[in-house]
Amino acid sequence: MKKFLVLYKAPASSFEQMKKATPEQQKAGMDGWMAWGKKATGSIVDMGAPLGKSLRVTKGGASPITNDLGGYSILQADSKEALAETLKGHPHFMMPDGFIEIVEMMPIPGM
């Protein structure tokens, strides 16, 4: 099976809106993640975590940046398309304008 980096993304305004969720809304969101995790258990390599603010590092130095990343998971499947099926109904889609990107993790040649 191939491994994939799954990126949970949304506009900054959506993340701000989610920060204002009530405790009941937060619990409903976590319940959704737990239910999805049980359904997708065969695909999960690493459930991942939420992501914080970014710092861009270049040869000239480091500076904070804004991005649309909210979290990640590492999942496995035979293909990106098969994994996309597993992600149907994912709780991240409760986030306004939320979307998910699937990136194949390629093997390092010679290792």
Side-chain angles (χ1 to χ4, degrees):
M1 265 198 219
K2 297 177 181 180
K3 288 184 184 176
F4 300 92
L5 177 62
V6 176
L7 298 170
Y8 305 108
K9 302 177 113 183
S13 59
S14 295
F15 291 119
E16 289 303 316
Q17 183 177 342
M18 293 303 288
K19 285 181 185 177
K20 298 175 186 172
T22 66
E24 294 80 17
Q25 291 168 324
Q26 291 173 359
K27 183 181 180 322
M30 286 308 301
D31 288 348
W33 273 88
M34 294 301 109
W36 177 83
K38 286 180 184 174
K39 179 185 105 177
T41 192
S43 296
I44 298 170
V45 175
D46 180 347
M47 186 67 133
L51 297 172
K53 295 182 179 182
S54 296
L55 187 69
R56 177 171 289 156
V57 180
T58 66
K59 63 182 177 181
S63 59
I65 61 166
T66 302
N67 63 46
D68 58 0
L69 293 171
Y72 79 96
S73 294
I74 298 175
L75 305 178
Q76 62 184 1
D78 290 328
S79 67
K80 289 185 290 253
E81 294 76 17
L83 187 53
E85 287 297 314
T86 302
L87 292 167
K88 282 187 176 176
H90 191 282
H92 181 68
F93 296 125
M94 290 188 293
M95 179 171 285
D97 300 318
F99 60 101
I100 297 173
E101 289 185 9
I102 300 170
V103 183
E104 186 171 351
M105 298 172 73
M106 305 299 290
I108 299 172
M111 294 188 86

